[in-house]
Amino acid sequence: MANTRSRVWSVAGLLAAATLSSGLVTGAAEAAGSGIAATAAPPIVGGEPAKITDHPWVVFLTDTQGNQFCGGTVAKANKVITAAHCVDGDEPEGVKVVAGRESKQSTDGTVADVTGIWVHPQYQDANTGSDVAVLTLGQDLPQQPLAVATKDDTTLYEAGTMASVYGWGNTAEGGQASDTLQKADVPLTSDADCQEAYPQYKADAMVCAGFAEGGVDSCQGDSGGPLVVEDKLVGIVSTGTGCARPNAPGIYTRVATYHDDVQQQLDS
Ligand code: ARG
């Protein structure tokens, strides 16, 4: 195990160096700055900066100070889907939704108030499933909403299907959050592979995505954000062991399972 780990980490080092030399210094510089040398866990390797105009439905959540803490998806003009663990116990006044803003440094787009927070009634913690919440906004957003996977969308969940995940979260395990929107492509895993990585895996409540060799993943701060297949929301960034580790794919809320509950919230 230790051997496998250090071999993978040295590959990560090479990737970090390649990242540096290709001019995308942010992730590697942050990793170095946080005391995690380039030989530590990789940032969202294989990920890339994404344009908010190409993915207008991706939003981030902030506290009242403007600190980003999670992601989300516009599913209707005044409704945002996120993870339950992002907002459980929060008052609507304490959460803002930022739409149409690619860089946290900019003032582009809209900062919307939240007027209601619905957390799935079965939610306890990310490890037991039902990690889904719907925010009602105080205004309609102009952003194009993303369609939500339904119970009929089982083919979207086939193992090996490539999915895209979006967020402003950490670019390295234990590292710092990204200033700009990032996108990464990861394959959905089989139930068996996810079950093997995570004893708590529940196939009806969750879906895993990631390469067996690791290297590409969502991370802290990406939670609540979208996992997308064929222009449909199939997953919500939920949890996982570390970030981008081998044989530890990211765990996502299986959206299709919760479609009817969510749709009811979108219609309310
Ligand atoms: N729980 C984290 C959050 O709140 C997301 C972790 C995702 N981890 C992963 N390995 N994909 O931001």
Side-chain angles (χ1 to χ4, degrees), residues 69-71 83 85-86 126 131 169 198 209 217-224 237-245 248-252:
F69 63 89
C70 269
H85 82 262
C86 286
D131 194 5
Y198 300 107
D217 198 4
S218 48
C219 199
Q220 271 60 37
D222 290 322
S223 274
V237 179
S238 179
T239 186
T241 301
C243 303
R245 296 188 190 182
I251 302 176
Y252 298 81

Side-chain angles (χ1 to χ4, degrees), residues 88-202:
D88 187 39
D90 286 359
E91 298 296 333
E93 305 75 50
V95 181
K96 307 287 167 198
V97 168
V98 183
R101 186 173 300 175
E102 190 169 300
S103 165
K104 292 174 186 170
Q105 310 287 10
S106 85
T107 54
D108 295 345
T110 308
V111 180
D113 289 340
V114 173
T115 56
I117 299 178
W118 173 85
V119 169
H120 194 285
Q122 252 111 61
Y123 173 76
Q124 291 177 328
D125 59 63
N127 285 321
T128 53
S130 308
D131 194 5
V132 55
V134 177
L135 311 178
T136 302
L137 310 182
Q139 66 184 91
D140 283 355
L141 295 172
Q143 276 75 26
Q144 159 97 38
L146 186 65
V148 178
T150 72
K151 299 204 196 280
D152 295 331
D153 282 323
T154 48
T155 58
L156 299 181
Y157 290 89
E158 276 169 17
T161 301
M162 289 304 290
S164 301
V165 60
Y166 302 83
W168 289 261
N170 294 0
T171 54
E173 181 178 331
Q176 288 174 26
S178 177
D179 273 331
T180 56
L181 176 62
Q182 302 288 312
K183 166 188 193 275
D185 295 332
V186 276
L188 302 184
T189 71
S190 66
D191 288 334
D193 283 351
C194 194
Q195 186 76 63
E196 200 172 308
Y198 300 107
Q200 78 270 28
Y201 179 67
K202 290 199 183 81

